Amino acid sequence: MLLRNRAVFARGLRVCSTRLMKGPAVVAARPISDMSEFRKVFSNAKHIAIITGAGVSAESGVPTFRGENEKWRKWLSQDLATPEAFSRTPSRVWEFYHYRREMALNKKPSAAHLAIAECEARLSKQGRSVVVITQSIDDLHRQAGSKHVLKVHGNLMETRCVSCGHVSVNRRSPICAALKDKGSPDPDVADAQIPVDKLPRCGESDCRGLLRPNVVFFGETLDSHILTKVEKEMETCDLCLVVGTSSIVYPAAMFGPQIASRGVPVAEFNMNITPKSEYFTYHFQGPCGTTLPPALAPHESEAL
């Protein structure tokens, strides 16, 4: 099995690394940037896996954990998105995620989101399939109309009770009264220090436990049920697109290279070369909203 053959997948831990980890045993070569050649491969593909990252949502205006958004106030985002940080300072972590929730709730799907959803709907009528395997925790793929979405890092619009474990969809704005107008990323803004009993609480009968965002914090284990589904898609797809991901957060960073190790064509769409570009057949550089729509548009061979 592709995922379970590697320890990083077996553990399923979400970790971030700027070091290039050893990839699968494939012969690395410079990827091709020939769209017409990619389009021929696309026209013959029956089962397409599209792996997306924060770069797709960044074009909708959703901030990433990278670059100018690497810090929230004076803390690194990666240091706030941990179980230890939530245990120590739940108010601060909830402010951080409230800021991200409010930002995402006010954004619209990008051209890339829409192109993926349109492609899935169109190809399904031809007996072909498209699955989205996303690292993004926003809801923009669903808003765009994608139906088959596997969210490996969880969903920002869901909450999970730390006491009873109940998970529910939650798009309230604000999520609780105490967080109204809180969460500013300005480094001069002091922590709200909201009492824990005023933070989002479980609505299940006789529980009232503290809620947390239903996302995978760094250092936590990915959902085994989601990983099993991802593994199945990786084993059956005959074309893979890696779109808008920096390829440094594991285990998702290895999904594309693992598919490439089967000899399956993999096309990367990104603003820059990534640590995994050398393993892929194609690389298309530029904004995903510009490069992806023509790649997924109806091919001349498709029955109208």
Side-chain angles (χ1 to χ4, degrees), residues 41 44-49 233 236-240 259 262 264-265:
V41 174
N44 292 316
K46 301 299 183 184
H47 306 288
I48 303 172
E233 298 296 342
T236 58
C237 71
D238 54 5
L239 175 64
C240 174
I259 292 172
R262 289 202 293 117
V264 173

Side-chain angles (χ1 to χ4, degrees), residues 94 98 101-102 159 170 172-177 179 200 211:
W94 256 120
H98 174 66
R101 277 174 53 91
E102 293 297 302
T159 54
N170 191 323
R172 290 199 301 270
S173 175
I175 190 169
C176 70
L179 282 166
L211 295 179

Side-chain angles (χ1 to χ4, degrees), residues 29-92:
R30 183 179 296 276
I32 302 166
S33 298
D34 186 334
M35 182 62 78
S36 62
E37 182 176 323
F38 168 79
R39 293 280 291 161
K40 291 177 185 177
V41 174
F42 167 76
S43 70
N44 292 316
K46 301 299 183 184
H47 306 288
I48 303 172
I50 303 180
I51 300 168
T52 69
V56 176
S57 296
E59 294 185 20
S60 291
V62 178
T64 70
F65 280 166
R66 313 276 174 241
E68 62 182 20
N69 299 303
E70 190 171 16
K71 282 191 174 183
W72 177 85
R73 295 182 184 164
K74 61 183 179 181
W75 293 279
L76 288 173
S77 296
Q78 294 170 32
D79 292 336
L80 291 171
T82 69
E84 294 80 13
F86 188 76
S87 177
R88 289 193 306 266
T89 55
S91 174
R92 179 187 299 160

Side-chain angles (χ1 to χ4, degrees), residues 256-268:
Q258 286 287 349
I259 292 172
S261 73
R262 289 202 293 117
V264 173
V266 179
E268 182 179 54

Side-chain angles (χ1 to χ4, degrees), residues 24 26 83 85 92 117 136 155 165 179 199 250 269-270 304:
V26 295
R92 179 187 299 160
S136 296
N155 190 341
L179 282 166
L199 291 172
Y250 291 81
F269 296 77
N270 207 293
L304 299 178

Side-chain angles (χ1 to χ4, degrees), residues 35-239:
M35 182 62 78
S36 62
E37 182 176 323
F38 168 79
R39 293 280 291 161
K40 291 177 185 177
V41 174
F42 167 76
S43 70
N44 292 316
K46 301 299 183 184
H47 306 288
I48 303 172
I50 303 180
I51 300 168
T52 69
V56 176
S57 296
E59 294 185 20
S60 291
V62 178
T64 70
F65 280 166
R66 313 276 174 241
E68 62 182 20
N69 299 303
E70 190 171 16
K71 282 191 174 183
W72 177 85
R73 295 182 184 164
K74 61 183 179 181
W75 293 279
L76 288 173
S77 296
Q78 294 170 32
D79 292 336
L80 291 171
T82 69
E84 294 80 13
F86 188 76
S87 177
R88 289 193 306 266
T89 55
S91 174
R92 179 187 299 160
V93 174
W94 256 120
E95 276 200 86
F96 169 68
Y97 276 102
H98 174 66
Y99 163 71
R100 296 186 66 82
R101 277 174 53 91
E102 293 297 302
M103 182 76 72
L105 283 167
N106 288 293
K107 300 304 179 184
K108 301 296 183 183
S110 68
H113 289 115
L114 295 171
I116 292 169
E118 190 281 331
C119 181
E120 178 189 352
R122 188 181 81 247
L123 296 193
S124 68
K125 297 175 182 179
Q126 303 170 23
R128 302 160 69 190
S129 68
V130 173
V131 60
V132 177
I133 301 168
T134 187
Q135 299 172 72
S136 296
I137 59 175
D138 57 58
D139 210 28
L140 293 174
H141 278 300
R142 183 197 64 82
Q143 288 184 41
S146 290
K147 305 298 184 185
H148 193 183
V149 181
L150 300 176
K151 299 179 75 68
V152 296
H153 290 161
N155 190 341
L156 190 57
M157 301 307 161
E158 292 180 351
T159 54
R160 183 168 83 247
C161 178
V162 300
S163 296
C164 72
H166 180 72
V167 174
S168 63
V169 174
N170 191 323
R171 297 189 180 92
R172 290 199 301 270
S173 175
I175 190 169
C176 70
L179 282 166
K180 181 177 174 59
D181 298 325
K182 300 296 190 295
S184 168
D186 189 326
D188 295 326
V189 173
D191 283 2
Q193 297 185 346
I194 300 168
V196 69
D197 63 328
K198 300 298 182 184
L199 291 172
R201 311 298 295 191
C202 182
E204 291 297 288
S205 178
D206 300 324
C207 182
R208 294 294 297 164
L210 176 64
L211 295 179
R212 54 164 281 179
N214 190 34
V215 299
V216 181
F217 290 147
F218 286 101
E220 288 188 322
T221 303
L222 273 63
D223 186 319
S224 61
H225 299 292
I226 296 295
L227 281 179
T228 297
K229 293 178 181 179
V230 169
E231 181 180 60
K232 180 180 178 181
E233 298 296 342
M234 288 173 60
E235 291 176 337
T236 58
C237 71
D238 54 5
L239 175 64

